[in-house]
Amino acid sequence: MTATGTSDMRYSRQRWLLTLCGLLLYLGDICTDTALAVRYFQETQYVWSGMTALFIITGLTVNQVFSYAWFLEKMQEDKEDDEKGQYLVLHAFGMGILVRYYHLLKDGNKEIQRQNSSEELNIQELIWKATDLSMLKLFETFLESAPQLLLQLYIHHSHHEWSILQYLALAFSFFNLAWSLVDYRWLLHKSLLREKKFSLGATLVYLLYKLFTITSLTLSYSLLLLLNVYCTVGLILIWVLGTIWAKLLDTDFCKSRVLEPLYRGVIGAILVFSFFNAKGQNTKREMFLYYLICTIINFSTPLIFFLSKPEFMEIKLFWAVSGLIYGGSFLGNVSLLLYYSFLSRQENNFDEVDGVKKETQSARRLKAFIQL
C-alpha cells in the first residue's frame, strides 16, 4: 500500500470507539427486544410475543448463515481450517456477530498500537473485517430492527399504552438502524470508492434522507395495519416482488449459489423499508418509481385513515403521527434530491484497492452490495 493510501485509511482511536458503540447498540437492540418478547409472553400476549421473537430469530439466523459462510471463504483463501469447528459451534449459538466484533476490536487496538510505535501498517485486512461486519449489521437492521419498529408502533397504536421497556426497544432499534447506515457508508467510501476524504456533510444528508424516508414509510405501514391487519399481505407482496427483482437482476453477491436465493430474500426485506440498488447499476428510474410509490402511500394513508376511522380524529396521537408522516416524507425526498444531485460521488466507478494483488471475497461482496 502506498503512503498516501495508508494515510487515507488509518484506523483511529475514534473509529475504534465508534465500533464499540456499534456493539453496544447491537446488544441493546437485541436485549430490549428479547425482554419485550418475554414480557408479552408473561402478559399472555402470545401473538405479540411470538412475532417479536420471530423477528429476533430471523435476523440472528440469517446473519449466522452468512457470517459462517464468509468465515469458511476466508479460511479457503488463507488455506487454513483449524478453527472451522470452533466457528461452527459459536455460530450455532448465535454468536457470529459478537465473534466478529471481538476480532475487529482486538485487531483494531493492535493496529492503533502499531501506528503509535511507527511500525509498518497492515490496515487493509482490518478494513475488510469491518466491511463484512458492516454488511451483516445491515442485514440485521432490516431483518430485525426495522420490522420491530413497525411491530411495536402497531402495538402502541392499537393499545394506546407505553412502557419504559417499549420506549427503550424503539430507541435502540432506531439508533441501531441509523448507526448501521452511517457505518456502511463510511466503509464503502474507505474501501472501494474514489474518495480520499470522508465528507461529514454528505453523510449527514444521506442519513437524513434514509431516516426520514424509512420513518415516514414505517409510520404509514403502522396506520395501514391498524386500519386492517390484512394489510400484512401487502407487505409480504412487496417482499416477494423485491425478491423477484433481485432474481431478475441476476445478483452475484454470494460465492455459493446455494446462498444467493437467501441473499435475494434479504434484498426483498430491505425493499419493504428502503430502496436498494442490488447490483450497483444505474437504477435512477427504479429509484424514482420506488420513492414515487412511497410518497403516494405516505400522503394517502392518513387521508384514508381519516375517512375510514373518524373516531380516531379526537386522538392527538393521530395528528402527531400524520404530521410525522407528511413532514418525514417531504424532508426525506428533499434530502434524497440534495444528496444525489450535489453530494453523491460516482459510486459505480471503482479503483483497485492499493496493496491488494488478488481481490478478496470481502471486496467482491462489497462491489456486489455497493449502493444502499
Side-chain angles (χ1 to χ4, degrees):
M1 181 177 293
T2 64
T4 302
T6 299
S7 176
D8 293 335
M9 300 185 67
R10 289 177 66 87
Y11 195 91
S12 65
R13 176 65 65 179
Q14 290 78 7
R15 175 63 199 175
W16 188 91
L17 291 173
L18 288 174
T19 301
L20 181 61
C21 289
L23 171 61
L24 296 177
L25 285 173
Y26 170 75
L27 290 174
D29 190 18
I30 295 295
C31 290
T32 52
D33 289 341
T34 302
L36 265 183
V38 173
R39 177 175 176 175
Y40 288 143
F41 186 84
Q42 293 173 339
E43 295 175 350
T44 68
Q45 299 286 347
Y46 299 123
V47 174
W48 303 143
S49 176
M51 292 188 68
T52 302
L54 177 63
F55 290 135
I56 298 172
I57 294 170
T58 300
L60 279 175
T61 302
V62 171
N63 265 346
Q64 304 317 304
V65 171
F66 280 112
S67 179
Y68 184 64
W70 297 352
F71 269 126
L72 291 181
E73 291 176 6
K74 178 61 178 173
M75 290 181 211
Q76 291 173 359
E77 286 180 359
D78 298 339
K79 297 182 180 179
E80 298 177 356
D81 59 359
D82 297 340
E83 298 179 317
K84 185 183 297 186
Q86 176 184 343
Y87 282 137
L88 177 60
V89 172
L90 289 170
H91 283 78
F93 284 94
M95 304 289 286
I97 296 293
L98 297 180
V99 169
R100 289 181 176 275
Y101 264 115
Y102 168 75
H103 286 301
L104 182 58
L105 289 169
K106 182 184 70 173
D107 295 344
N109 187 62
K110 289 181 180 179
E111 192 62 43
I112 292 169
Q113 298 303 318
R114 287 195 186 104
Q115 293 172 8
N116 292 338
S117 61
S118 300
E119 295 180 16
E120 183 180 355
L121 298 181
N122 184 23
I123 190 69
Q124 193 61 60
E125 184 67 24
L126 193 61
I127 291 294
W128 292 129
K129 286 181 180 180
T131 297
D132 281 349
L133 179 58
S134 178
M135 286 187 279
L136 289 171
K137 281 293 300 293
L138 270 181
F139 289 175
E140 184 269 339
T141 292
F142 285 99
L143 291 173
E144 199 273 332
S145 299
Q148 289 290 5
L149 273 173
L150 175 58
L151 176 62
Q152 302 311 322
L153 284 170
Y154 170 73
I155 292 173
H156 169 61
H157 292 340
S158 58
H159 288 77
H160 308 296
E161 293 183 2
W162 279 87
S163 66
I164 294 177
L165 185 57
Q166 285 174 309
Y167 278 120
L168 286 174
L170 278 174
F172 273 112
S173 293
F174 183 82
F175 286 111
N176 190 43
L177 171 64
W179 168 248
S180 297
L181 292 169
V182 172
D183 189 53
Y184 165 76
R185 187 179 184 276
W186 184 90
L187 286 165
L188 171 68
H189 286 258
K190 287 295 182 183
S191 300
L192 291 178
L193 302 183
R194 292 175 176 174
E195 183 169 327
K196 294 183 177 181
K197 189 174 181 180
F198 186 62
S199 172
L200 182 60
T203 300
L204 178 60
V205 174
Y206 172 84
L207 177 62
L208 292 176
Y209 139 57
K210 283 294 182 180
L211 290 184
F212 280 134
T213 54
I214 292 172
T215 301
S216 59
L217 189 60
T218 302
L219 288 170
S220 293
Y221 287 157
S222 67
L223 287 184
L224 289 173
L225 290 174
L226 186 59
L227 186 64
N228 192 322
V229 72
Y230 290 106
C231 288
T232 305
V233 176
L235 299 180
I236 295 174
L237 179 61
I238 296 174
W239 171 69
V240 171
L241 291 175
T243 304
I244 293 174
W245 182 56
K247 167 65 175 176
L248 293 176
L249 288 175
D250 193 26
T251 58
D252 57 353
F253 178 78
C254 300
K255 184 179 180 181
S256 168
R257 302 309 298 177
V258 176
L259 290 180
E260 196 66 32
L262 180 60
Y263 167 70
R264 291 166 182 166
V266 174
I267 297 300
I270 295 175
L271 286 168
V272 174
F273 298 96
S274 182
F275 183 78
F276 181 81
N277 186 342
K279 209 174 178 183
Q281 298 174 343
N282 188 337
T283 55
K284 290 181 180 179
R285 288 179 296 181
E286 290 85 349
M287 178 181 283
F288 173 79
L289 179 62
Y290 179 89
Y291 282 113
L292 175 62
I293 294 173
C294 289
T295 301
I296 292 173
I297 292 174
N298 288 337
F299 278 83
S300 62
T301 296
L303 180 60
I304 294 173
F305 204 87
F306 177 84
L307 297 175
S308 303
K309 299 278 188 179
E311 64 272 17
F312 278 82
M313 300 308 104
E314 299 178 1
I315 301 176
K316 293 181 179 180
L317 180 63
F318 169 77
W319 297 106
V321 171
S322 298
L324 288 173
I325 291 174
Y326 288 137
S329 182
F330 174 76
L331 293 174
N333 287 331
V334 169
S335 299
L336 182 154
L337 291 173
L338 178 61
Y339 177 75
Y340 283 105
S341 297
F342 303 104
L343 301 173
S344 177
R345 299 300 180 107
Q346 297 297 320
E347 296 192 345
N348 294 333
N349 299 324
F350 309 109
D351 282 331
E352 290 295 327
V353 181
D354 292 340
V356 180
K357 296 181 180 179
K358 179 173 70 68
E359 183 178 66
T360 64
Q361 290 299 326
S362 296
R364 186 189 61 78
R365 280 194 293 270
L366 188 56
K367 287 185 179 181
F369 191 73
I370 195 62
Q371 193 172 0
L372 175 64

